[in-house]
Every structure is written in C-alpha cells, then in structure tokens.
Amino acid sequence: QVQLVESGGGLVQAGGSLRLSCAASGRSFSGYVMGWFRQAPGKEREFLTAIRWSGDDTYYADSVKGRFSITRDSAKNMVYLQMNSLKPEDTAVYYCAAERGFFLHTTPDYWGQGTQVTVSS
C-alpha cells in the first residue's frame, strides 16, 4: 500500500524555523512529482511547492518563495520542507502529496495524513 507519512510539525515562534519530513513508501516514485500543500482552518487547501522525484526542477507558490525550500533524498524515499522566517499566517495543517507525471495538480494521486504547524506571535 502506498503511504506518505508527514512528521516534524509543532509549535514555533514567529521568525523561527521548522523542518517537515515526508516518508514515502509502497512503490517506486521515479516517475512522480512530490510536493506540499497546507490548509488553515476555514480556508481552502493551498499549494506550496513541488519537486520531481528524479531531477532538480522545483516550483514555489509566491506566498512561500524565499522562505520555504523543498528537497528530497531519493535513496531514502524522503521529501522535506524547510520552513524559515515563519509567520503566524503560516499556521495550518501541512500535507505531503505525490502525483504521476511532471506536474502536481490540485487532486494528486496520494496524500499524507497531515502534520500541524502552529506559529505564535
């Protein structure tokens, strides 16, 4: 069974940093694109960033560009989200996602269960 399991969420002060991890298992992701979404209470799910499993191409939403970085370790089946200069508006549940192909769309093939990130003022 394919699984994406997020970890690393928690409480952090504004201006601080946090690193989220996504452990991928259950299949080869060599032809997939991986990424991160988030959803705050009362808001729609928001795309943040994506990276191809093979290759270095990345894409970032304007809201996190320059503050967040996505990386992956194919040998370990891991995807990471490094979050710096965190703001209270970054508070949300963060989800890892995967989709077959070159681009990550709003309805990916697989979702993780999510991990809570709370940024205090």
Side-chain angles (χ1 to χ4, degrees), residues 45-93:
R45 189 165 296 187
E46 176 190 13
F47 168 79
L48 298 177
T49 180
I51 187 171
R52 292 177 181 175
W53 193 257
S54 301
D56 298 324
D57 293 339
T58 58
Y59 180 85
Y60 295 93
D62 290 341
S63 60
V64 301
K65 193 174 299 182
R67 298 190 299 124
F68 291 11
S69 297
I70 186 171
T71 57
R72 53 121 177 87
D73 187 336
S74 298
K76 296 181 178 180
N77 281 5
M78 296 290 292
V79 182
Y80 306 98
L81 182 65
Q82 178 66 46
M83 305 185 294
N84 300 321
S85 301
L86 284 163
K87 308 172 182 178
E89 50 263 44
D90 293 319
T91 296
V93 177

Side-chain angles (χ1 to χ4, degrees), residues 2-18:
V2 174
Q3 288 190 87
L4 304 177
V5 181
E6 303 97 333
S7 62
L11 176 64
V12 63
Q13 292 183 334
S17 298
L18 206 60

